[in-house]
Amino acid sequence: MSDDSESVIVVRRIKRVTGHGHHGGAWKVAYADFVTAMMAFFLVMWLIGVGTREQRAAISEYFKNPSADPGTATVAPPGKMGPGGASDSAIQLGGAMDLPRGKGDDRRSAPPASSKEAIEKQARAQEKARLEELMSQLNAAIQSSQALAPFKDQLLLDITSEGLRIQIVDKKNRPMFDTGSARLKDYTVDILHELSGFINRVPNPISISGHTDDAPYSSDHTYGNWELSADRANAARRALLEGGLQDSKIARVVGLAASVPFDKNHPSAAINRRISIVVMTQQAADAAKSPELGSKLPPLPQPIRAADTGAPTLTAPPPNKAI
């Protein structure tokens, strides 16, 4: 066989490409979007950095409540700038510290830190402390004052539901008034002048009441213990004003005759003849001005007697018919 008759063998080799193929310009679009987003992010961060505290708080509040009214609707209600616009609610300053931190920690859903009841309770506690301080000052003055010390066994201090009560009581052979009269003894005037200075130290209004024993005043029914007790309470009011008490602090002046005896077992005892001055709590003062509020006064607590603070206590003397 000749060489021309030999067949020609052609070997085709397939070139394998191990690299990635050409993807066109899609990556450029993605990269441009990334760069744009990063530029916008840094622009926002720069604006926040140069903004004031109020502006940052407004931005925070907007993202917490972008709608005009809070709610659970799926469609945002219209605001000043259209649907989902800026809220009409007042801005609470505080910045990022006020951001909601979850369903249970959202400050908008939490109750207010200081409720009305808590504020009233705190005010009552402060008022009680103020009256107790006044009581301590009066106890100290009773022991040291030249005008009050001689009559310390006729002064009784205690705290009731209405406030700090100061009672000036009669003692056998040492009454506060002339017999059967509303004319004050000179030493009673001195006592009331001293008390007026202490009462002026607190802003609380006062109530003044006059009391008698149960002995009949006279056979004339036109003037009796009711009139006498009212006149004595009013005489005490005038003496307090002369001592410097502010007229605006007097909320009530009443005469109670023998209806509220100090010594219930001996209604004719001299100790029942007394003047009672109450430095009133605000709640008691409101009740005095508006009778329908009287039922809202808290129940009468256990009185804090002068004996509990070291001041002298009173014991009821034997019955004395003199009025």
Side-chain angles (χ1 to χ4, degrees):
M1 182 178 293
S2 64
D3 294 335
D4 294 337
S5 61
E6 292 181 359
S7 60
V8 179
I9 299 174
V10 179
V11 179
R12 298 181 181 275
R13 298 183 179 276
I14 300 175
K15 186 178 180 180
R16 298 183 179 276
V17 180
T18 58
H20 296 286
H22 181 67
H23 297 287
W27 68 272
K28 299 179 181 179
V29 176
Y31 180 73
D33 291 342
F34 171 75
V35 172
T36 303
M38 291 299 295
M39 183 176 62
F41 171 74
F42 285 110
L43 180 61
V44 170
M45 296 298 293
W46 176 77
L47 290 174
I48 293 177
V50 299
T52 63
R53 179 182 178 85
E54 289 77 9
Q55 290 171 339
R56 292 195 298 270
I59 295 173
S60 172
E61 185 67 20
Y62 174 82
F63 282 103
K64 288 195 300 181
N65 182 24
S67 63
D69 301 303
T72 57
T74 56
V75 179
K80 288 184 177 180
M81 301 299 181
S87 172
D88 294 329
S89 61
I91 296 175
Q92 296 181 354
L93 303 182
M97 297 298 294
D98 291 333
L99 288 173
R101 291 160 290 183
K103 184 176 181 180
D105 295 332
D106 193 346
R107 293 188 180 183
R108 292 174 294 167
S109 61
S114 299
S115 63
K116 182 179 179 181
E117 294 77 9
I119 294 175
E120 292 178 352
K121 183 177 180 181
Q122 182 179 7
R124 287 194 298 269
Q126 293 175 349
E127 191 171 50
K128 181 181 178 182
R130 185 165 60 241
L131 293 179
E132 289 177 348
E133 175 63 23
L134 177 61
M135 182 176 175
S136 299
Q137 294 175 2
L138 281 171
N139 282 329
I142 290 172
Q143 302 296 329
S144 59
S145 172
Q146 293 182 355
L148 297 179
F151 308 98
K152 59 184 179 181
D153 56 345
Q154 291 182 249
L155 291 171
L156 175 64
L157 309 179
D158 61 351
I159 292 181
T160 70
S161 62
E162 286 194 335
L164 171 59
R165 181 171 58 185
I166 308 166
Q167 298 189 93
I168 312 170
V169 302
D170 262 7
K171 187 178 181 182
K172 188 177 181 180
N173 300 324
R174 192 162 63 187
M176 291 183 296
F177 296 88
D178 290 340
T179 302
S181 170
R183 185 177 181 276
L184 288 163
K185 295 289 188 180
D186 292 340
Y187 50 79
T188 308
V189 174
D190 293 338
I191 293 174
L192 292 171
H193 285 180
E194 286 286 324
L195 290 177
S196 63
F198 286 94
I199 296 173
N200 271 335
R201 296 181 183 180
V202 294
N204 305 60
I206 68 170
S207 170
I208 307 172
S209 58
H211 303 264
T212 66
D213 57 25
D214 67 344
Y217 178 75
S218 67
S219 58
D220 185 5
H221 296 293
T222 61
Y223 192 92
N225 286 339
W226 288 101
E227 290 79 10
L228 180 62
S229 62
D231 289 343
R232 288 180 171 179
N234 202 32
R237 177 191 66 84
R238 289 193 296 267
L240 287 170
L241 294 178
E242 291 172 0
L245 180 70
Q246 302 172 12
D247 187 35
S248 59
K249 293 176 69 68
I250 300 177
R252 181 174 60 192
V253 180
V254 295
L256 298 175
S259 62
V260 188
F262 183 87
D263 186 357
K264 296 181 180 179
N265 297 324
H266 302 93
S268 60
I271 199 172
N272 293 320
R273 301 191 297 270
R274 66 196 190 279
I275 293 296
S276 179
I277 303 169
V278 179
V279 183
M280 307 172 75
T281 63
Q282 187 58 50
Q283 191 174 14
D286 293 340
K289 296 177 182 178
S290 181
E292 62 271 14
L293 296 179
S295 60
K296 296 183 179 180
L297 282 174
L300 185 67
Q302 183 68 27
I304 302 176
R305 300 291 182 183
D308 299 333
T309 58
T313 57
L314 297 178
T315 57
N320 187 341
K321 288 292 184 180
I323 197 168

